[in-house]
Amino acid sequence: MNVSVKQLRAFVAVAETGSFAQACEQLNISQPALSMAVKNLEDEVGGSLFLRSTRSLSLSPEGSAFLPTAQRLLRDWSDAFTDLQRLYSLQQGKLTIAAMPSFASTRLPAVLATYRQQFPNIDIAVRDIVMEELIDAVRAGRVELGVAFEPDDSEGLEFEALFTDRFVAVLPEAHPLLARNRLRIKDLLGDTVITLNRGSSTRRWTEAAFAIESLSPPAIFEAFQLTTVGAMVAAGLGVALVPALCEEQMHQLGARCKPISGRCIERRVGIIRRRRQQLSSAAVAMRALLMEN
């Protein structure tokens, strides 16, 4: 069935006004055009929608039954385009992004606050997940944008750098190494090294940093979250290497951070998205704010 919005509007206008002449004025079209639209609609549905005489015009039983549906269809049509315009103008919508915990708990809240001020009607869902899960979520399209370290495997992804993060040493309170003016990676090997679980990117980079210096930690504790790593260090169980993004978090847990001289782990942090994916208007605005900050 090939029914147009123009035909529906013509039918509803005539039905509501009870007059072809008044419907023409309401729709601002000529009477022949209106009559043709109604006739074409009747041809499509297979019968008369109006009972016509020289003195009166009324809806047929079928027309009376169809009128509420036609009115609803026109409202839905109008609402659909209103909603679409609101999406493009960022007056409504939803945005789902992901960020690694070290970024989500430090720099992201300020960006979200600015975004909320500018676009208060956009609902935002933030997934603070580890880098490996974040990359999977971006690739699967569950989130439009992710903020994490530059992935080693970028197949199907686009990465836009925001800044470079340099890993720092995490030490217990009053640890002797805190008094040193210059701290190197090999100085950490007098203690147990606490790191993330095997298979995580941070674990690979930590092991690579030791391997460059031809070093091997005497003992290793594993954890699945950086907050657990910091708490274990604060409890005196060992030392760790973490992104500088986590310094404030480590201090809150009771550990202390110190820069490392010479070779250390440096990784770019940036926005990750699917390659050749067209972002929603809400995601475009978020990306712009992330790039500014």
Side-chain angles (χ1 to χ4, degrees):
M1 185 171 291
N2 186 23
V3 174
S4 69
V5 174
K6 179 180 178 181
Q7 292 167 357
L8 285 178
R9 286 184 177 141
F11 165 69
V12 170
V14 174
E16 290 179 343
T17 62
S19 165
F20 271 80
Q22 291 182 41
C24 289
E25 291 181 9
Q26 180 178 308
L27 298 176
N28 194 29
I29 60 175
S30 67
Q31 186 151 338
L34 178 65
S35 298
M36 182 60 68
V38 172
K39 180 181 182 302
N40 288 340
L41 176 60
E42 290 176 327
D43 289 342
E44 285 292 334
V45 300
S48 297
L49 296 171
F50 295 98
L51 300 176
R52 303 168 176 86
S53 70
T54 56
R55 295 185 176 181
S56 65
L57 174 71
S58 61
L59 285 165
S60 68
E62 294 81 7
S64 294
F66 178 57
L67 178 59
T69 300
Q71 291 169 325
R72 177 179 55 80
L73 288 171
L74 289 178
R75 285 195 302 272
D76 289 347
W77 176 269
S78 178
D79 290 346
F81 281 96
T82 298
D83 289 344
L84 183 58
Q85 290 171 342
R86 288 174 64 83
L87 287 172
Y88 277 115
S89 62
L90 295 173
Q91 296 179 42
Q92 71 178 46
K94 181 175 181 179
L95 172 65
T96 302
I97 65 172
M100 58 184 181
S102 57
F103 186 88
S105 62
T106 54
R107 298 197 180 193
L108 184 59
V111 176
L112 293 176
T114 302
Y115 191 94
R116 173 63 70 185
Q117 290 174 356
Q118 295 183 10
F119 313 110
N121 296 319
I122 302 295
D123 294 330
I124 305 173
V126 177
R127 298 186 181 181
D128 50 339
I129 51 180
V130 297
M131 179 174 170
E132 292 72 27
E133 293 178 8
L134 181 150
I135 290 173
D136 288 342
V138 172
R139 281 197 170 119
R142 294 191 295 272
V143 300
E144 286 193 82
L145 299 174
V147 181
F149 291 110
E150 184 173 10
D152 295 325
D153 178 12
S154 60
E155 182 179 357
L157 302 173
E158 290 184 8
F159 176 83
E160 293 181 279
L162 298 175
F163 59 91
T164 298
D165 195 11
R166 182 178 173 87
F167 280 41
V168 296
V170 188
L171 307 166
E173 186 77 58
H175 193 284
L177 290 178
L178 290 171
R180 292 202 182 183
N181 294 328
R182 187 168 179 265
L183 186 63
R184 297 164 297 179
I185 283 184
K186 69 178 184 179
D187 297 327
L188 302 178
L189 297 187
D191 293 90
T192 296
V193 173
I194 303 172
T195 186
L196 291 182
N197 57 293
R198 192 174 296 278
S200 70
S201 300
T202 299
R203 175 65 174 270
R204 291 198 306 273
W205 300 332
T206 300
E207 291 179 341
F210 284 120
I212 289 174
E213 302 289 343
S214 299
L215 303 171
S216 179
I220 286 180
F221 265 130
E222 289 187 359
F224 280 80
Q225 299 291 338
L226 283 170
T227 52
T228 306
V229 171
M232 292 171 72
V233 172
L237 295 174
V239 299
L241 284 169
V242 303
L245 273 172
C246 300
E247 283 194 51
E248 182 178 345
Q249 190 176 40
M250 296 297 111
H251 291 161
Q252 291 173 351
L253 292 168
R256 294 293 173 263
C257 297
K258 191 172 180 65
I260 295 177
S261 302
R263 289 182 178 178
C264 190
I265 307 170
E266 285 189 348
R267 302 292 300 188
R268 296 195 300 172
V269 176
I271 301 169
I272 300 173
R273 55 184 283 196
R274 282 197 294 178
R275 186 168 295 158
R276 291 184 292 275
Q277 176 194 17
Q278 182 173 345
L279 297 176
S280 67
S281 298
V284 169
M286 176 60 73
R287 174 192 166 277
L289 282 179
L290 288 167
M291 296 298 290
E292 290 173 7
N293 293 269

